[in-house]
PDB file of all heavy atoms in Angstrom:
ATOM      1  N   LYS A   8      11.267   4.580 -14.733  1.00  0.00           N
ATOM      2  CA  LYS A   8      10.973   5.841 -14.058  1.00  0.00           C
ATOM      3  C   LYS A   8      11.085   5.567 -12.560  1.00  0.00           C
ATOM      4  O   LYS A   8      10.388   4.703 -12.034  1.00  0.00           O
ATOM      5  CB  LYS A   8       9.568   6.304 -14.409  1.00  0.00           C
ATOM      6  CG  LYS A   8       9.130   7.585 -13.749  1.00  0.00           C
ATOM      7  CD  LYS A   8       7.729   7.942 -14.217  1.00  0.00           C
ATOM      8  CE  LYS A   8       7.261   9.221 -13.629  1.00  0.00           C
ATOM      9  NZ  LYS A   8       5.911   9.560 -14.101  1.00  0.00           N
ATOM     10  N   ARG A   9      11.991   6.261 -11.883  1.00  0.00           N
ATOM     11  CA  ARG A   9      12.265   5.956 -10.470  1.00  0.00           C
ATOM     12  C   ARG A   9      11.267   6.644  -9.556  1.00  0.00           C
ATOM     13  O   ARG A   9      10.957   7.807  -9.707  1.00  0.00           O
ATOM     14  CB  ARG A   9      13.674   6.409 -10.092  1.00  0.00           C
ATOM     15  CG  ARG A   9      14.101   5.922  -8.717  1.00  0.00           C
ATOM     16  CD  ARG A   9      15.484   6.453  -8.365  1.00  0.00           C
ATOM     17  NE  ARG A   9      16.062   5.803  -7.240  1.00  0.00           N
ATOM     18  CZ  ARG A   9      15.752   6.033  -5.974  1.00  0.00           C
ATOM     19  NH1 ARG A   9      14.805   6.900  -5.691  1.00  0.00           N
ATOM     20  NH2 ARG A   9      16.339   5.394  -4.984  1.00  0.00           N
ATOM     21  N   LEU A  10      10.802   5.877  -8.568  1.00  0.00           N
ATOM     22  CA  LEU A  10       9.916   6.381  -7.528  1.00  0.00           C
ATOM     23  C   LEU A  10      10.443   5.857  -6.185  1.00  0.00           C
ATOM     24  O   LEU A  10      11.341   5.034  -6.147  1.00  0.00           O
ATOM     25  CB  LEU A  10       8.497   5.873  -7.751  1.00  0.00           C
ATOM     26  CG  LEU A  10       7.832   6.217  -9.062  1.00  0.00           C
ATOM     27  CD1 LEU A  10       6.549   5.422  -9.232  1.00  0.00           C
ATOM     28  CD2 LEU A  10       7.535   7.690  -9.141  1.00  0.00           C
ATOM     29  N   GLY A  11       9.872   6.301  -5.105  1.00  0.00           N
ATOM     30  CA  GLY A  11      10.212   5.764  -3.783  1.00  0.00           C
ATOM     31  C   GLY A  11      11.182   6.657  -3.027  1.00  0.00           C
ATOM     32  O   GLY A  11      11.626   7.694  -3.495  1.00  0.00           O
ATOM     33  N   LYS A  12      11.506   6.195  -1.825  1.00  0.00           N
ATOM     34  CA  LYS A  12      12.375   6.954  -0.928  1.00  0.00           C
ATOM     35  C   LYS A  12      13.830   6.770  -1.342  1.00  0.00           C
ATOM     36  O   LYS A  12      14.134   6.105  -2.335  1.00  0.00           O
ATOM     37  CB  LYS A  12      12.192   6.440   0.509  1.00  0.00           C
ATOM     38  CG  LYS A  12      10.811   6.664   1.046  1.00  0.00           C
ATOM     39  CD  LYS A  12      10.722   6.097   2.430  1.00  0.00           C
ATOM     40  CE  LYS A  12       9.314   6.176   2.935  1.00  0.00           C
ATOM     41  NZ  LYS A  12       9.166   5.564   4.266  1.00  0.00           N
ATOM     42  N   ILE A  13      14.729   7.353  -0.539  1.00  0.00           N
ATOM     43  CA  ILE A  13      16.141   7.345  -0.871  1.00  0.00           C
ATOM     44  C   ILE A  13      16.701   5.928  -0.991  1.00  0.00           C
ATOM     45  O   ILE A  13      17.320   5.557  -1.970  1.00  0.00           O
ATOM     46  CB  ILE A  13      16.953   8.153   0.171  1.00  0.00           C
ATOM     47  CG1 ILE A  13      16.589   9.604   0.052  1.00  0.00           C
ATOM     48  CG2 ILE A  13      18.449   7.956  -0.035  1.00  0.00           C
ATOM     49  CD1 ILE A  13      17.225  10.482   1.106  1.00  0.00           C
ATOM     50  N   ARG A  14      16.480   5.092   0.010  1.00  0.00           N
ATOM     51  CA  ARG A  14      17.027   3.734  -0.033  1.00  0.00           C
ATOM     52  C   ARG A  14      15.970   2.696  -0.308  1.00  0.00           C
ATOM     53  O   ARG A  14      16.182   1.518  -0.066  1.00  0.00           O
ATOM     54  CB  ARG A  14      17.741   3.441   1.274  1.00  0.00           C
ATOM     55  CG  ARG A  14      19.037   4.232   1.371  1.00  0.00           C
ATOM     56  CD  ARG A  14      19.716   4.040   2.681  1.00  0.00           C
ATOM     57  NE  ARG A  14      20.940   4.804   2.724  1.00  0.00           N
ATOM     58  CZ  ARG A  14      21.024   6.102   2.979  1.00  0.00           C
ATOM     59  NH1 ARG A  14      19.920   6.801   3.171  1.00  0.00           N
ATOM     60  NH2 ARG A  14      22.168   6.711   3.015  1.00  0.00           N
ATOM     61  N   SER A  15      14.846   3.101  -0.815  1.00  0.00           N
ATOM     62  CA  SER A  15      13.765   2.175  -1.134  1.00  0.00           C
ATOM     63  C   SER A  15      13.235   2.469  -2.526  1.00  0.00           C
ATOM     64  O   SER A  15      12.132   2.983  -2.686  1.00  0.00           O
ATOM     65  CB  SER A  15      12.654   2.307  -0.100  1.00  0.00           C
ATOM     66  OG  SER A  15      11.560   1.520  -0.444  1.00  0.00           O
ATOM     67  N   PRO A  16      14.006   2.151  -3.580  1.00  0.00           N
ATOM     68  CA  PRO A  16      13.575   2.505  -4.915  1.00  0.00           C
ATOM     69  C   PRO A  16      12.487   1.569  -5.464  1.00  0.00           C
ATOM     70  O   PRO A  16      12.485   0.383  -5.188  1.00  0.00           O
ATOM     71  CB  PRO A  16      14.850   2.372  -5.750  1.00  0.00           C
ATOM     72  CG  PRO A  16      15.607   1.321  -5.044  1.00  0.00           C
ATOM     73  CD  PRO A  16      15.304   1.502  -3.582  1.00  0.00           C
ATOM     74  N   HIS A  17      11.572   2.154  -6.183  1.00  0.00           N
ATOM     75  CA  HIS A  17      10.570   1.432  -6.953  1.00  0.00           C
ATOM     76  C   HIS A  17      10.579   2.053  -8.335  1.00  0.00           C
ATOM     77  O   HIS A  17      10.756   3.254  -8.470  1.00  0.00           O
ATOM     78  CB  HIS A  17       9.163   1.577  -6.344  1.00  0.00           C
ATOM     79  CG  HIS A  17       9.068   1.052  -4.964  1.00  0.00           C
ATOM     80  ND1 HIS A  17       9.071  -0.273  -4.681  1.00  0.00           N
ATOM     81  CD2 HIS A  17       8.986   1.681  -3.772  1.00  0.00           C
ATOM     82  CE1 HIS A  17       8.974  -0.441  -3.381  1.00  0.00           C
ATOM     83  NE2 HIS A  17       8.925   0.722  -2.802  1.00  0.00           N
ATOM     84  N   TYR A  18      10.411   1.235  -9.335  1.00  0.00           N
ATOM     85  CA  TYR A  18      10.465   1.734 -10.702  1.00  0.00           C
ATOM     86  C   TYR A  18       9.186   1.395 -11.440  1.00  0.00           C
ATOM     87  O   TYR A  18       8.581   0.353 -11.191  1.00  0.00           O
ATOM     88  CB  TYR A  18      11.646   1.122 -11.464  1.00  0.00           C
ATOM     89  CG  TYR A  18      12.989   1.475 -10.881  1.00  0.00           C
ATOM     90  CD1 TYR A  18      13.604   0.632  -9.978  1.00  0.00           C
ATOM     91  CD2 TYR A  18      13.634   2.642 -11.220  1.00  0.00           C
ATOM     92  CE1 TYR A  18      14.830   0.937  -9.433  1.00  0.00           C
ATOM     93  CE2 TYR A  18      14.856   2.975 -10.696  1.00  0.00           C
ATOM     94  CZ  TYR A  18      15.454   2.130  -9.790  1.00  0.00           C
ATOM     95  OH  TYR A  18      16.675   2.443  -9.252  1.00  0.00           O
ATOM     96  N   ARG A  19       8.803   2.269 -12.349  1.00  0.00           N
ATOM     97  CA  ARG A  19       7.740   1.972 -13.291  1.00  0.00           C
ATOM     98  C   ARG A  19       8.365   1.871 -14.654  1.00  0.00           C
ATOM     99  O   ARG A  19       9.240   2.649 -15.020  1.00  0.00           O
ATOM    100  CB  ARG A  19       6.690   3.093 -13.290  1.00  0.00           C
ATOM    101  CG  ARG A  19       5.880   3.090 -12.018  1.00  0.00           C
ATOM    102  CD  ARG A  19       4.645   3.917 -12.165  1.00  0.00           C
ATOM    103  NE  ARG A  19       3.920   3.902 -10.897  1.00  0.00           N
ATOM    104  CZ  ARG A  19       3.277   4.935 -10.417  1.00  0.00           C
ATOM    105  NH1 ARG A  19       3.227   6.055 -11.095  1.00  0.00           N
ATOM    106  NH2 ARG A  19       2.657   4.852  -9.261  1.00  0.00           N
ATOM    107  N   ILE A  20       7.933   0.900 -15.410  1.00  0.00           N
ATOM    108  CA  ILE A  20       8.412   0.742 -16.788  1.00  0.00           C
ATOM    109  C   ILE A  20       7.513   1.587 -17.647  1.00  0.00           C
ATOM    110  O   ILE A  20       6.297   1.378 -17.692  1.00  0.00           O
ATOM    111  CB  ILE A  20       8.383  -0.734 -17.203  1.00  0.00           C
ATOM    112  CG1 ILE A  20       9.242  -1.560 -16.249  1.00  0.00           C
ATOM    113  CG2 ILE A  20       8.867  -0.881 -18.648  1.00  0.00           C
ATOM    114  CD1 ILE A  20       9.115  -3.041 -16.427  1.00  0.00           C
ATOM    115  N   VAL A  21       8.089   2.595 -18.312  1.00  0.00           N
ATOM    116  CA  VAL A  21       7.296   3.555 -19.061  1.00  0.00           C
ATOM    117  C   VAL A  21       7.789   3.658 -20.496  1.00  0.00           C
ATOM    118  O   VAL A  21       8.928   3.328 -20.803  1.00  0.00           O
ATOM    119  CB  VAL A  21       7.325   4.955 -18.410  1.00  0.00           C
ATOM    120  CG1 VAL A  21       6.736   4.931 -17.034  1.00  0.00           C
ATOM    121  CG2 VAL A  21       8.738   5.519 -18.347  1.00  0.00           C
ATOM    122  N   VAL A  22       6.894   4.132 -21.357  1.00  0.00           N
ATOM    123  CA  VAL A  22       7.244   4.471 -22.722  1.00  0.00           C
ATOM    124  C   VAL A  22       7.298   5.984 -22.784  1.00  0.00           C
ATOM    125  O   VAL A  22       6.338   6.658 -22.393  1.00  0.00           O
ATOM    126  CB  VAL A  22       6.178   3.935 -23.702  1.00  0.00           C
ATOM    127  CG1 VAL A  22       6.519   4.331 -25.129  1.00  0.00           C
ATOM    128  CG2 VAL A  22       6.047   2.427 -23.579  1.00  0.00           C
ATOM    129  N   ALA A  23       8.439   6.514 -23.218  1.00  0.00           N
ATOM    130  CA  ALA A  23       8.616   7.965 -23.220  1.00  0.00           C
ATOM    131  C   ALA A  23       9.494   8.385 -24.399  1.00  0.00           C
ATOM    132  O   ALA A  23      10.186   7.569 -24.996  1.00  0.00           O
ATOM    133  CB  ALA A  23       9.260   8.430 -21.918  1.00  0.00           C
TER     134      ALA A  23
END
Side-chain angles (χ1 to χ4, degrees):
K8 179 179 182 179
R9 189 182 194 282
L10 302 169
K12 297 179 186 177
I13 292 175
R14 288 176 180 81
S15 175
H17 299 287
Y18 298 94
R19 289 196 182 143
I20 301 171
V21 298
V22 178

